[in-house]
Amino acid sequence: MNYEKINNEIKKFVEERDWDQFHSPKNLSMALSVEASELVELFQWLENEEAEQMMKNNDFRSKTIDEIADILLYVIAFANRNDIDISKAIKQKIKKNKKKYPSDKFKGRF
Protein backbone atom coordinates (compact mmCIF):
# COMPACT_ATOMS: atom_id res chain seq x y z
CA MET A 1 0.00 0.00 0.00
CA ASN A 2 1.47 3.35 -0.98
CA TYR A 3 1.34 6.49 1.14
CA GLU A 4 -1.39 8.17 -0.90
CA LYS A 5 -3.65 5.15 -0.50
CA ILE A 6 -2.92 4.95 3.25
CA ASN A 7 -3.59 8.67 3.59
CA ASN A 8 -6.93 8.35 1.80
CA GLU A 9 -7.92 5.33 3.91
CA ILE A 10 -7.25 7.29 7.10
CA LYS A 11 -9.19 10.33 5.84
CA LYS A 12 -12.13 8.11 4.89
CA PHE A 13 -12.04 6.28 8.23
CA VAL A 14 -12.10 9.57 10.16
CA GLU A 15 -14.82 11.11 7.95
CA GLU A 16 -17.10 8.05 8.20
CA ARG A 17 -17.03 8.37 11.99
CA ASP A 18 -17.22 12.16 12.11
CA TRP A 19 -14.07 12.20 14.23
CA ASP A 20 -12.69 15.41 12.73
CA GLN A 21 -14.43 17.24 15.55
CA PHE A 22 -12.11 15.49 18.02
CA HIS A 23 -8.94 15.72 15.94
CA SER A 24 -7.48 18.95 17.23
CA PRO A 25 -3.70 19.30 17.18
CA LYS A 26 -3.72 18.92 20.98
CA ASN A 27 -5.83 15.76 20.99
CA LEU A 28 -3.96 14.10 18.14
CA SER A 29 -0.56 14.90 19.64
CA MET A 30 -1.71 13.51 22.99
CA ALA A 31 -3.04 10.34 21.34
CA LEU A 32 0.23 9.96 19.48
CA SER A 33 2.13 10.26 22.75
CA VAL A 34 -0.06 7.58 24.34
CA GLU A 35 0.53 5.18 21.44
CA ALA A 36 4.29 5.79 21.54
CA SER A 37 4.19 5.12 25.28
CA GLU A 38 2.37 1.85 24.66
CA LEU A 39 5.21 0.78 22.38
CA VAL A 40 7.76 1.80 25.01
CA GLU A 41 5.82 -0.13 27.66
CA LEU A 42 6.27 -3.37 25.71
CA PHE A 43 10.04 -3.02 26.06
CA GLN A 44 10.12 -1.57 29.55
CA TRP A 45 12.56 -3.37 31.85
CA LEU A 46 13.89 -5.65 29.10
CA GLU A 47 17.61 -5.85 28.52
CA ASN A 48 18.70 -5.22 24.93
CA GLU A 49 19.22 -8.93 24.25
CA GLU A 50 15.82 -9.77 25.74
CA ALA A 51 14.16 -7.16 23.53
CA GLU A 52 15.85 -8.65 20.47
CA GLN A 53 14.62 -12.11 21.45
CA MET A 54 11.10 -10.90 22.19
CA MET A 55 10.84 -9.50 18.67
CA LYS A 56 11.15 -13.11 17.45
CA ASN A 57 8.07 -14.07 19.50
CA ASN A 58 4.98 -13.93 17.26
CA ASP A 59 2.58 -12.60 19.91
CA PHE A 60 4.98 -9.93 21.11
CA ARG A 61 5.91 -8.99 17.55
CA SER A 62 2.22 -8.67 16.67
CA LYS A 63 1.68 -6.29 19.60
CA THR A 64 4.63 -4.13 18.52
CA ILE A 65 3.36 -4.04 14.94
CA ASP A 66 -0.04 -2.89 16.19
CA GLU A 67 1.56 -0.10 18.21
CA ILE A 68 3.71 1.01 15.26
CA ALA A 69 0.59 1.11 13.10
CA ASP A 70 -1.29 3.14 15.73
CA ILE A 71 1.60 5.61 15.92
CA LEU A 72 1.71 6.03 12.17
CA LEU A 73 -2.07 6.38 11.96
CA TYR A 74 -2.00 9.27 14.42
CA VAL A 75 1.00 10.90 12.71
CA ILE A 76 -0.83 10.83 9.39
CA ALA A 77 -4.09 12.03 10.96
CA PHE A 78 -2.18 14.90 12.58
CA ALA A 79 -0.57 15.79 9.26
CA ASN A 80 -3.93 15.64 7.46
CA ARG A 81 -5.62 17.84 10.04
CA ASN A 82 -2.84 20.43 9.90
CA ASP A 83 -2.04 20.46 6.17
CA ILE A 84 1.43 19.00 6.60
CA ASP A 85 2.96 17.29 3.58
CA ILE A 86 4.75 14.37 5.25
CA SER A 87 6.99 13.67 2.24
CA LYS A 88 8.12 17.28 2.18
CA ALA A 89 8.56 17.37 5.96
CA ILE A 90 10.74 14.24 5.89
CA LYS A 91 12.90 15.59 3.06
CA GLN A 92 13.38 18.89 4.90
CA LYS A 93 14.27 17.12 8.15
CA ILE A 94 16.77 14.80 6.46
CA LYS A 95 18.39 17.85 4.87
CA LYS A 96 18.66 19.53 8.31
CA ASN A 97 20.01 16.34 9.87
CA LYS A 98 22.68 16.01 7.18
CA LYS A 99 23.94 19.48 8.10
CA LYS A 100 23.66 18.87 11.84
CA TYR A 101 25.22 15.39 11.73
CA PRO A 102 27.70 15.24 8.83
CA SER A 103 28.70 11.65 8.10
CA ASP A 104 32.43 12.41 8.29
CA LYS A 105 32.01 13.46 11.95
CA PHE A 106 29.23 11.14 13.11
CA LYS A 107 29.75 7.88 11.24
CA GLY A 108 29.44 5.02 13.71
CA ARG A 109 28.77 7.24 16.74
CA PHE A 110 26.13 9.55 18.24
Side-chain angles (χ1 to χ4, degrees), residues 84-99:
I84 297 170
D85 181 326
I86 291 180
S87 296
K88 188 176 179 181
I90 290 170
K91 288 176 188 174
Q92 289 173 344
K93 185 61 178 175
I94 289 171
K95 188 175 179 180
K96 287 178 183 178
N97 284 347
K98 284 181 178 182
K99 284 184 179 180

Side-chain angles (χ1 to χ4, degrees), residues 65-77:
I65 290 169
D66 283 347
E67 295 309 333
I68 291 292
D70 286 340
I71 291 165
L72 290 171
L73 288 166
Y74 278 116
V75 166
I76 294 168

